[in-house]
Amino acid sequence: MSANDNDALAPVIRKLGRLAALQPADCDAIRSLPFRTRSAAANQFLVREGDQITECCILLKGYACRHKTTSSGARQIVSFHLPGDILDLQHILLARADHNLQTITAATLAWVPTSELKRLGQERPAVGDAFWRDTLVDASIFREWVLNVGRRDAKSRIAHMLCEFAARREVAGLGSPERFELPMTQEQIGDATGMTSVHVNRMLHELANSGVIARNKREVEITDWARMRAIADFDPAYLHAAA
Amino acid sequence: MSLSYQTVTLDGDIPDRQARLVFRHCGLLAVLSCLSEIHEDLAGQWFIEALFGDQPPPVKQTFQSLDEFEAWLSQG
């Protein structure tokens, strides 16, 4: 367990700083949290539904997702995560995992005792506000995903997922929203949008044929943002400029 | 299991337009499309576009051949 390890927690400080007005003392308090850093391979489970949790997981590098599965094994991905995200902040107050956490790519993670995060949120009101807002923005994104999976057609679903990923990447300082590499497979996109990978592939081809995106394997360029937003029915207000 | 097939062309812009209606006891059981080259390694396989009846949803969505589809169906 280390503390103050060369600002290893910088990605989460940046994220929480977008959620609340952190003072230098708040950032110092986050930096002084005890944590252990671990690498994870792509597709590695970090938490399984039913686990008893004593440490929260912060994504420092790479991409991850949350998902649930039916009793017959069908998987629904319920969120994608970028560096800086606390993957299971709810475990500050809920001891048992009600869903799975899994990496998408190779990743670096910081594991922080839940009791320490809880103490931090209580002792530093601005950090506590950031935790609250993070949870509420998560809930807003979940609501948007329910709408996306439940009520948008196949092309809009895929377009919306791409718009959201591009917008969140930009906010997280990971690069341009116009051009990016998709870390997730078509199967994972399908599991996030309630579609088969065959349908995902068709829709990506259709978006490319429409001239709103260009693709080369996993590299995506959004060539016409205005039309893409219209097809996706994408209004980033639900991200609250912070996710 | 006695199945019969009818060749059809699916409407719309999708490239996978060559399809089969699959009938069982005169009832429409499934619509299968033949995947085109945009699906790369899956090209030529049969994909379940729609499935009727009371069998559980397939874990596997594509089949190498219609025989493989019938084998899966008989296991259900």
Side-chain angles (χ1 to χ4, degrees):
Chain A
M1 192 79 67
S2 60
N4 242 344
D5 182 15
N6 294 325
D7 221 4
L9 298 180
V12 73
I13 293 173
R14 281 196 296 273
K15 166 111 192 236
L16 295 174
R18 294 194 298 273
L19 291 157
L22 300 184
Q23 299 302 310
D26 297 317
C27 298
D28 288 344
I30 297 170
R31 285 190 197 95
S32 67
L33 281 168
F35 65 91
R36 58 189 181 95
T37 308
R38 291 288 182 273
S39 297
N43 299 313
Q44 183 175 323
F45 273 84
L46 305 172
V47 171
R48 289 181 188 270
E49 184 172 353
D51 286 354
Q52 292 294 317
I53 305 297
T54 57
E55 292 177 305
C56 286
C57 182
I58 299 173
L59 186 59
L60 300 177
K61 287 183 190 164
Y63 295 90
C65 66
R66 297 175 182 168
H67 62 82
K68 291 181 75 83
T69 54
T70 65
S71 56
S72 60
R75 180 175 69 167
Q76 179 67 44
I77 290 176
V78 296
S79 58
F80 288 126
H81 292 283
L82 286 63
D85 287 355
I86 306 176
L87 300 180
D88 56 345
L89 188 57
Q90 74 275 6
H91 291 139
I92 289 178
L93 297 172
L94 302 174
R96 180 185 176 280
D98 57 32
H99 59 272
N100 306 295
L101 293 180
Q102 193 172 6
T103 58
I104 290 173
T105 62
T108 306
L109 306 136
W111 296 87
V112 186
T114 54
S115 56
E116 291 293 325
L117 280 174
K118 185 176 182 182
R119 177 192 57 74
L120 178 67
Q122 290 169 340
E123 290 180 357
R124 309 291 316 178
V127 177
D129 282 357
F131 287 168
W132 248 111
R133 286 180 57 84
D134 190 37
T135 305
L136 295 171
V137 173
D138 259 4
S140 175
I141 295 172
F142 287 141
R143 287 190 287 274
E144 188 68 26
W145 277 45
V146 171
L147 180 67
N148 202 43
V149 172
R151 285 291 177 253
R152 292 197 178 102
D153 66 27
K155 189 158 75 169
S156 294
R157 283 188 218 179
I158 297 298
H160 195 280
M161 198 228 85
L162 292 176
C163 286
E164 180 185 296
F165 182 72
R168 291 184 63 198
R169 265 185 97 254
E170 183 184 28
V171 169
L174 297 174
S176 150
E178 276 84 28
R179 187 190 292 267
F180 49 87
E181 186 167 339
L182 272 179
M184 57 290 274
T185 63
Q186 291 191 2
E187 185 180 2
Q188 288 164 335
I189 295 171
D191 285 349
T193 53
M195 296 160 60
T196 65
S197 55
V198 167
H199 278 107
V200 171
N201 193 37
R202 279 181 191 159
M203 293 307 113
L204 287 170
H205 272 265
E206 207 170 310
L207 289 167
N209 288 340
S210 308
V212 290
I213 66 169
R215 283 200 313 149
N216 182 11
K217 300 289 182 189
R218 288 200 189 179
E219 279 186 27
V220 174
E221 182 183 2
I222 299 181
T223 50
D224 188 339
W225 253 104
R227 281 178 61 209
M228 184 71 166
R229 260 198 306 269
I231 291 169
D233 186 28
F234 180 72
D235 176 354
Y238 73 95
L239 296 171
H240 297 274
Chain B
M1 185 178 309
S2 175
L3 300 182
S4 62
Y5 295 87
Q6 182 182 335
T7 300
V8 293
T9 302
L10 301 181
D11 195 12
D13 279 341
I14 62 168
D16 315 316
R17 299 182 66 198
Q18 298 307 311
R20 300 283 187 279
L21 302 182
V22 186
F23 294 92
R24 181 173 60 185
H25 312 308
C26 299
L28 180 60
L29 174 70
V31 180
L32 306 179
S33 65
C34 186
L35 296 178
S36 64
E37 72 285 349
I38 71 160
H39 299 286
E40 299 180 350
D41 292 348
L42 295 177
Q45 296 199 20
W46 293 94
F47 173 69
I48 300 176
E49 299 285 349
L51 187 64
F52 307 97
D54 55 5
Q55 56 283 317
V59 173
K60 183 179 167 67
Q61 293 281 345
T62 57
F63 299 89
Q64 296 279 354
S65 65
L66 296 176
D67 285 344
E68 192 184 66
F69 170 72
E70 288 194 28
W72 165 75
L73 206 58
S74 63
Q75 289 166 11

